[in-house]
Amino acid sequence: MTDSAIVTFESKMMIDGELVDGQSGTFTNINPATEEVIGEVADASAADMNRAIDAARRSFDETDWSTNRELRKRCLLQLHEAIDTELEELREELILEVGAPRAVTHGPQLDAPFADGLKYPARLIDSFEWETDLGDMVISVTGVNTRCKVWHEPVGVVGAIVPWNFPFEVTINKLGQALATGNTVVLKPAPDTPFNATRLGRLIAEKTDIPAGVVNVVTASDHLVGEELTLSPKVDMISFTGSTAVGKRIMEKGASTMKRLFLELGGKSATIVLDDADFNTACLIGIGPLMHAGQGCAAPTRMLLPRSRYDEGVAILKALYENIKAGDPQDPGTICGPVISAKQQQRIQGLIRTGVDEGATMLVGSPEPPEEFDRGFWVTPTLFTDVDNSMTIAQQEIFGPVLAVIPYDDEDDAVRIANDSVYGLAGNVMSSSNERALSVARRLRAGFIGLNGTAGYSAEVPFGGYKDSGVGRQNGLAGFQQYTEIKSVAYPAT
């Protein structure tokens, strides 16, 4: 592995405006590419988490943060500028703790969300219709001429729970919209990737006017510390990105306090390559599961090819998978780095073996890690063909560098196969005709569709899914609105 730039990590978490230690001591952060220790970070107890919740509750109830829009706008722009001063250190930090390839940090891992993750919601503070006047109307129940208005107000205290695969991207989009709408936040990063969050905590404490308690960053090795957010009656909303299994647990545990929920969960996204597509271009989307070792909820892990051109498409994909290897995330040419942990590595390898056992053809790849790595958590890029959509590798979210190629008979069959999933997060359609691709996209039960190689990834575009892929949307106006409550107000018209 090549050496990385020197990075100064923040070991303390941030509660009520102060950088503090954890009552449970510290826990170790590991580089998934080398298994070397990166550093130690504060390990919070349940008492620490509840102290953070109390701080967020108090700052929402007792300060003007929820009503002072100019302050919120100024603070978001201050945080953007503060991150910019340490952007390159943050890049190196993400490569080290996430195992993210350097190339991916120049896109969705860092640069893309940094560009507008805070600036877009800051702009919305001025343009959003916080109050809508419905005008005068005679209310049928009372017969009284009445003026009616609708107000958007912040939800309150938001528990933001973040995964390890794209931690900065998810965090900054949660913080931007929750803070812009006037909420206070308790941020719980994943135990595997805490340092990007503690860095943000330090920047907030030292370089912004965000009042104490408005943002709290709580790091913990114990996932149940994060569950305090779901159980606490002082927390009004959970904003969670992660697995469907955990999302269902949050929904269940939050029911007793009627938690508002945003859940961005798993996916098993299908790419439909139509028979009129340019296959040399269309099949290149098969590279998707190799980006960041397939550790993306919207990764296009099923590719649907027409039987009439199936062999042609498979040949292109075979050459692609034979020529892209897992590699050092520090290398600018790497797109497929390590997976996050030994647990994930073993899980992915088990699913690859299941694919073989169920009769799919493992055309390229292996359930064994690449021979060139003797340390780290590596998975060999693997291409399966002759896959039936009922197979485990076509139904379960693998979250690794594995593509399942499925044949279809006609357009109706392709749509049926794509929709035959408990998930509905994303999808792609490739065709020589935008009109034909659009007509197929309308039939797909998924929330984020790309046509002919495009993707609507942006702070301005809502992202989220149907079915087991979640509830609500991140980003865009829809994402902004979900952090608000709606209050209808009526009074006698004059």
Side-chain angles (χ1 to χ4, degrees):
M1 296 293 163
T2 56
D3 293 333
S4 62
I6 295 174
V7 181
T8 301
F9 304 108
E10 178 54 63
S11 63
K12 295 180 183 291
M13 57 188 177
M14 198 260 286
I15 296 178
D16 205 9
E18 300 290 333
L19 300 180
V20 299
D21 296 320
Q23 287 189 358
S24 299
T26 63
F27 65 98
T28 303
N29 194 7
I30 300 293
N31 182 336
T34 64
E35 299 183 58
E36 294 175 352
V37 173
I38 303 172
E40 299 292 316
V41 66
D43 196 1
S45 66
D48 288 323
M49 176 60 81
N50 282 292
R51 188 157 59 90
I53 292 170
D54 287 343
R57 184 79 262 166
R58 185 174 61 253
S59 64
F60 182 82
D61 292 339
E62 299 178 9
T63 75
D64 70 344
W65 177 259
S66 65
T67 58
N68 192 334
R69 296 174 196 162
E70 285 303 315
L71 172 63
R72 302 201 303 261
K73 181 179 177 181
R74 183 174 81 246
C75 288
L76 286 176
L77 296 178
Q78 286 175 339
L79 181 55
H80 176 87
E81 292 170 3
I83 295 168
D84 195 26
T85 66
E86 299 187 9
L87 193 66
E88 294 312 309
E89 278 199 62
L90 180 55
R91 187 183 314 282
E92 301 303 327
E93 191 168 66
L94 289 168
I95 295 169
L96 289 172
E97 70 173 346
V98 183
R102 184 174 297 278
V104 179
T105 70
H106 290 290
Q109 190 70 249
L110 176 60
D111 287 356
F114 166 71
D116 274 322
L118 296 174
K119 294 172 75 174
Y120 170 72
R123 293 195 298 270
L124 275 182
I125 291 173
D126 288 337
S127 62
F128 184 67
E129 292 188 17
W130 298 97
E131 179 178 310
T132 302
D133 191 337
L134 301 181
D136 295 351
M137 60 187 74
V138 176
I139 302 298
S140 58
V141 174
T142 63
V144 175
N145 191 28
T146 303
R147 170 65 60 92
C148 293
K149 293 187 176 182
V150 177
W151 296 343
H152 283 270
E153 299 179 342
V155 172
V157 176
V158 174
I161 305 174
V162 175
W164 43 258
N165 59 329
F166 285 85
F168 175 81
E169 184 266 339
V170 175
T171 294
I172 211 66
N173 285 315
K174 290 186 188 300
L175 281 180
Q177 296 203 322
L179 295 178
T181 45
N183 301 282
T184 59
V185 177
V186 179
L187 172 66
K188 171 63 174 64
D192 298 287
T193 54
F195 280 143
N196 63 95
T198 55
R199 178 181 296 273
L200 287 175
R202 174 177 56 77
L203 291 174
I204 288 169
E206 295 179 352
K207 296 189 177 183
T208 77
D209 295 328
I210 295 176
V214 167
V215 179
N216 304 270
V217 179
V218 182
T219 52
S221 60
D222 184 353
H223 287 281
L224 292 180
V225 169
E227 192 161 89
E228 294 293 320
L229 292 166
T230 303
L231 299 174
S232 175
K234 298 176 183 178
V235 176
D236 301 290
M237 177 179 177
I238 297 294
S239 178
F240 171 76
T241 300
S243 72
T244 296
V246 176
K248 288 180 177 179
R249 180 181 176 92
I250 288 172
M251 182 175 280
E252 178 185 355
K253 295 290 185 179
S256 63
T257 54
M258 292 299 292
K259 287 282 189 292
R260 289 279 298 278
L261 296 174
F262 163 61
L263 304 174
E264 196 272 285
L265 308 176
K268 194 66 184 176
S269 302
T271 296
I272 298 176
V273 180
L274 295 174
D275 56 9
D276 65 343
D278 175 355
F279 269 39
N280 287 320
T281 300
C283 289
L284 291 179
I285 204 169
I287 202 174
L290 302 184
M291 298 292 291
H292 190 27
Q295 297 173 116
C297 53
T301 54
R302 291 184 294 159
M303 178 168 281
L304 279 53
L305 298 178
R307 291 189 190 276
S308 61
R309 301 185 66 182
Y310 188 76
D311 291 345
E312 178 186 354
V314 165
I316 294 169
L317 293 168
K318 182 174 183 287
L320 194 67
Y321 272 66
E322 287 176 336
N323 284 284
I324 297 180
K325 309 296 184 183
D328 182 357
Q330 297 287 352
D331 186 336
T334 294
I335 65 167
C336 184
V339 297
I340 193 66
S341 66
K343 178 182 178 182
Q344 283 296 112
Q345 179 192 43
Q346 292 161 10
R347 177 182 172 277
I348 296 163
Q349 290 171 331
L351 285 166
I352 292 172
R353 292 187 181 98
T354 298
V356 174
D357 292 343
E358 292 184 357
T361 300
M362 188 173 63
L363 192 63
V364 180
S366 169
E368 302 302 322
E371 293 181 356
E372 57 267 33
F373 299 109
D374 57 3
R375 298 193 70 189
F377 312 123
W378 302 90
V379 175
T380 302
T382 300
L383 174 67
F384 278 106
T385 57
D386 306 315
V387 178
D388 185 276
N389 198 56
S390 64
M391 292 178 178
T392 302
I393 57 171
Q395 290 294 319
Q396 282 195 26
E397 184 178 40
I398 297 175
F399 231 62
V402 181
L403 176 64
V405 187
I406 304 170
Y408 69 85
D409 295 323
D410 55 25
E411 192 173 293
D412 289 341
D413 191 37
V415 171
R416 179 193 62 77
I417 293 170
N419 288 337
D420 181 19
S421 172
V422 297
Y423 298 108
L425 182 56
N428 298 276
V429 183
M430 309 296 286
S431 170
S432 63
S433 164
N434 283 337
E435 290 72 21
R436 187 181 178 193
L438 283 165
S439 71
V440 172
R442 290 186 184 278
R443 301 170 66 188
L444 297 180
R445 296 283 296 165
F448 190 78
I449 308 294
L451 307 182
N452 295 326
T454 59
Y457 175 84
S458 167
E460 300 183 32
V461 179
F463 179 82
Y466 293 18
K467 300 185 283 186
D468 277 15
S469 289
V471 176
R473 295 294 181 268
Q474 183 153 287
N475 295 348
L477 184 60
F480 193 87
Q481 287 176 318
Q482 78 187 349
Y483 289 99
T484 68
E485 287 280 16
I486 298 175
K487 180 182 290 183
S488 301
V489 182
Y491 54 94
T494 56

